[in-house]
Structure formats: C-alpha cells, structure tokens
Amino acid sequence: MGEKNKRPQVGVGALIFRNGKVLFGKRLSKLGEKTWGLVGGHLEFGETPEECLKREILEEIGLEMISAELICVSNVLDYDKHYIDFEFKVEVEPGEPKLLEPEKFEQWKWFDIENPPKPLFKAAELALKSYKNGKFYNS
C-alpha cells in the first residue's frame, strides 16, 4: 500500500486509578514492544470511544467500567503508525486486573503517578502529561 493510501487509525486508552496509583501494562505486541501502556485498543466500526473503552477493559483485564471522563485527544505519529487517540480517566469495578491477553501484555502493575514505569508507550505518555497539565490536545 502506498503512503498516500495510508489512513490514521483511532485508538482509545484508560488511565485507571486506584489508591493514588495508575495501572500500566508491559506491552508485547510489535507496536510499542517492551513499553508500558494503558488498557485500550482500536475503535471498531460503529462503536463510540466509550463503548470501545468498555469492551477493551473487559477483554484485557476482566473488569467492568463504571465511568469514563475524556482527558485528551492526541495526534500520535510513532512506531511507523498514525493514530488519533482518545484517552480517558476511568473508574472500574473493585477487583484486581487479570492478564487476559498474555500474547499482548507481559503483566499489569500499579505505579505511582509521579513515578511511572519507563519507557512509556507514546499514547500513555501523552495521556499522563495531559492529566497532569490539563492540556487537552497533543500534536
């Protein structure tokens, strides 16, 4: 496929907080391999970003989403890909996250917001930055 025929994709991600910590997963997929990212994924045809988020949270960690608040939109050009990414602050039901997609993530772990893991997946990095500084759009 030629460059002019490539199209951006749409992604969603969840900043899930618990006891002052944020949930990050160590990625195994080729896109951002060995970086720490958020729960999230690709928007499916006909889904709203919130529906996608709810589905991805259930598929990846086995918890139900209670609420979601949009914190930023990012134009991400990294990993030889182009994404328009919607990041949300999310509340989930009580319970610990499960590793339900071991082919995509090595582990899920809670980190202090002031001391996140490194290296961060680009979309997660921008979401955390927006959460801290209130900047809604990242380009």
Side-chain angles (χ1 to χ4, degrees):
M1 180 186 294
E3 283 292 317
K4 70 178 186 175
N5 294 325
K6 286 186 174 181
R7 298 280 189 260
Q9 294 182 303
V10 178
V12 300
L15 276 172
I16 300 173
F17 289 88
R18 183 160 300 153
N19 301 322
K21 296 187 183 283
V22 180
L23 184 65
F24 288 96
K26 191 161 190 186
R27 297 175 62 89
L28 293 174
S29 63
K30 289 181 185 178
L31 183 65
E33 185 178 13
K34 298 189 189 225
T35 62
W36 290 85
L38 304 173
V39 174
H42 295 97
L43 189 70
E44 299 286 334
F45 185 82
E47 277 184 321
T48 67
E50 294 86 356
E51 289 167 342
C52 177
L53 196 60
K54 184 175 185 170
R55 176 180 54 76
E56 290 288 351
I57 291 167
L58 194 57
E59 287 174 0
E60 290 182 359
I61 64 171
L63 296 174
E64 289 284 343
M65 182 174 83
I66 294 172
S67 66
E69 174 189 347
L70 182 62
I71 58 169
C72 72
V73 175
S74 299
N75 184 44
V76 182
L77 286 161
D78 216 335
Y79 315 107
D80 199 32
K81 300 284 184 184
H82 184 187
Y83 279 88
I84 301 300
D85 207 75
F86 294 86
E87 299 292 337
F88 293 82
K89 179 182 177 189
V90 174
E91 182 182 358
V92 296
E93 68 180 335
E96 282 303 308
K98 299 171 191 73
L99 185 62
L100 298 178
E101 295 183 327
E103 70 284 1
K104 294 180 182 176
F105 290 93
E106 181 179 309
Q107 65 176 309
W108 291 104
K109 190 172 176 185
W110 298 99
F111 289 88
D112 185 286
I113 192 167
E114 297 303 327
N115 192 24
K118 290 185 171 89
L120 283 176
F121 186 62
K122 187 65 173 181
E125 177 187 324
L126 293 171
L128 205 54
K129 181 178 164 185
S130 286
Y131 178 78
K132 289 180 177 182
N133 70 20
K135 184 178 177 184
F136 184 75
Y137 177 70
N138 297 296
S139 61

